[in-house]
Amino acid sequence: MPRPRVKIDLVELEKLCGMQCTDDEIAAFFDVSTRTIERRRQIKRISEIMDRAKAKGRISVRRNLFREAGRGNIAAIIFLAKNVIGYRDIVNTEHSGLDGGPIQVANKPDFSQLTDDELRQLREIFNKTKPPRRT
């Protein structure tokens, strides 16, 4: 015997979709599984209701955002400028070396100041640490 079909109030569904609720949230509201909402979305009429309501909800948010920007709300103005007009924050960070000169990327040690004994010690240290030769 199949389970009884769950009744989903289309007016409430439209309100939830207008508020951009997720399928999980809609399912929780109607006390059904998310899978039930996904299956119902396959029905053309329900899919159209959900899509239309979500579009109306986005339009409502956009309308309010533009209204707030028109009233001088700086956060709304900045958001619209970045997301609609394409403005962006650019932070130019420059690094420089000593006295504003170029950064030294590779320093080669100057061995000219070392004594013969110090050079011999370095050579011994190097020979101890170099990887074994492949044959």
Side-chain angles (χ1 to χ4, degrees):
M1 181 173 184
R3 288 185 291 180
R5 189 167 176 92
V6 175
K7 173 91 171 108
I8 293 181
D9 184 334
L10 297 182
V11 173
E12 290 298 322
L13 178 65
E14 188 171 3
K15 289 178 188 177
L16 294 169
C17 289
M19 293 187 297
Q20 308 303 307
C21 291
T22 65
D23 285 357
D24 288 337
E25 294 165 337
I26 293 168
F29 180 85
F30 289 114
D31 196 25
V32 297
S33 70
T34 304
R35 181 73 183 112
T36 297
I37 300 302
E38 292 168 356
R39 277 194 311 269
R40 297 290 174 91
R41 188 191 307 275
Q42 303 303 315
I43 300 169
K44 186 177 180 187
R45 179 169 164 241
I46 292 178
S47 176
E48 288 173 351
I49 289 171
M50 293 176 79
D51 291 345
R52 185 176 53 250
K54 284 187 181 265
K56 285 181 179 180
R58 288 189 300 273
I59 290 168
S60 177
V61 169
R62 185 172 285 127
R63 181 182 299 116
N64 288 324
L65 184 60
F66 271 91
R67 184 179 305 123
E68 284 300 311
R71 290 179 180 159
N73 181 323
I74 297 301
I77 293 168
I78 292 170
F79 180 85
L80 288 172
K82 289 180 177 181
N83 291 279
V84 175
I85 302 172
Y87 282 29
R88 57 193 172 123
D89 293 326
I90 298 175
V91 177
N92 189 5
T93 304
E94 288 189 24
H95 298 282
S96 61
L98 190 61
D99 296 323
I103 296 173
Q104 293 293 326
V105 176
N107 279 336
K108 293 183 181 178
D110 180 11
F111 295 118
S112 66
Q113 304 299 315
L114 297 178
T115 66
D116 287 343
D117 190 45
E118 291 169 329
L119 287 170
R120 182 188 53 72
Q121 289 174 5
L122 275 176
R123 192 172 296 113
E124 287 174 4
I125 292 169
F126 172 75
N127 287 335
K128 284 182 179 180
T129 60
K130 69 180 182 181
R133 292 183 65 175
R134 289 183 160 176
T135 56

